[in-house]
Amino acid sequence: MIILGIDPGTARLGYGLVKVDKGKKLKLIESNVLITKPSLTPENRLKYLFKCLTLVVKDHKPDVMVIERLFFNTNAKTAIAVGQARGICMLAAANKKVKVHDYTALEAKLILTGYGRSDKKIVQEAVRKIFKLNKQVKSDDANDAIAMALCYIKKDIFKEDIRKEKMRIDKAAKKKKK
């Protein structure tokens, strides 16, 4: 299974592709940032992002796209632009029949580090350790996109493993009490 994580934005859109094999081993396939020129009009920025993202989806054929869900409480202008970028991501997914999920950055941080308000450097280090990379993913946008993919993997793919492990622990605890 291939998961495409997205950190949406109209100036910078980060993405990360993660493969989960049948043995549930993880492999980071690719991560990058799509950067639009500031001189482009908003509609042409979105057009560029859509074309590039469509190529990524076509080339890698992800099963799922996981897009960071917005949480803004102050800057409406930024929220609108990021919302537009989310929209083109969803369209690129829909055109290729790719399922879409979303999580907040807080959810991803909580899953990866155990603390929802972790600093970006701590999240970068968590991603580095999970994939046994020699160095951290440099771009915050690409790293955040990878974190989105990992959040989906841990919450939706591995949840059955977690449930089974909890049942095993509960059963062992009950035997100890007897």
Side-chain angles (χ1 to χ4, degrees):
M1 174 179 257
I2 296 175
I3 296 90
L4 172 57
I6 303 283
D7 180 23
T10 53
R12 298 173 57 87
L13 186 144
Y15 72 89
L17 287 145
V18 178
K19 183 175 183 175
V20 183
D21 68 17
K22 291 191 190 315
K24 297 195 177 174
K25 186 175 179 194
L26 302 177
K27 178 182 179 191
L28 180 59
I29 299 171
E30 177 180 310
S31 66
N32 208 341
V33 180
L34 305 176
I35 301 171
T36 61
K37 294 178 183 173
S39 60
L40 289 175
T41 61
E43 62 272 19
N44 282 317
R45 279 182 158 194
L46 293 171
K47 180 180 178 181
Y48 172 79
L49 293 172
F50 178 74
K51 278 183 169 182
C52 292
L53 194 55
T54 297
L55 286 174
V56 170
V57 171
K58 182 182 173 193
D59 290 347
H60 295 282
K61 297 172 182 46
D63 301 284
V64 178
M65 181 184 289
V66 186
I67 308 169
E68 185 176 328
R69 187 182 322 137
L70 299 176
F71 179 76
F72 283 97
N73 58 5
T74 53
N75 191 339
K77 186 177 179 182
T78 302
I80 290 168
V82 173
Q84 291 169 337
R86 278 178 47 88
I88 64 103
C89 293
M90 290 179 198
L91 180 58
N95 282 345
K96 297 294 182 183
K97 296 178 177 40
V98 176
K99 290 184 260 177
V100 175
H101 288 266
D102 64 355
Y103 299 103
T104 62
L106 189 128
E107 286 175 287
K109 289 176 180 182
L110 182 63
I111 288 291
L112 294 182
T113 70
Y115 179 59
R117 302 214 183 275
S118 290
D119 180 77
K120 285 192 179 283
K121 295 291 181 203
I122 294 170
V123 177
Q124 283 179 314
E125 185 59 16
V127 167
R128 186 193 70 74
K129 285 180 180 178
I130 288 168
F131 291 107
K132 298 176 177 82
L133 302 173
N134 292 329
K135 57 185 179 178
Q136 294 178 343
V137 175
K138 289 234 179 205
S139 165
D140 287 346
D141 303 299
N143 198 77
D144 289 352
I146 297 165
M148 284 295 121
L150 288 170
C151 183
Y152 172 81
I153 291 164
K154 290 189 175 237
K155 286 185 87 167
D156 291 86
I157 295 176
F158 292 173
K159 71 180 174 191
E160 184 61 22
D161 294 345
I162 293 167
R163 187 185 67 76
K164 285 179 183 175
E165 180 65 11
K166 185 180 180 327
M167 286 174 54
R168 187 191 65 72
I169 291 168
D170 290 347
K171 190 175 179 180
K174 283 180 186 175
K175 280 186 180 179
K176 266 190 168 181
K177 286 183 182 178
K178 291 181 180 179

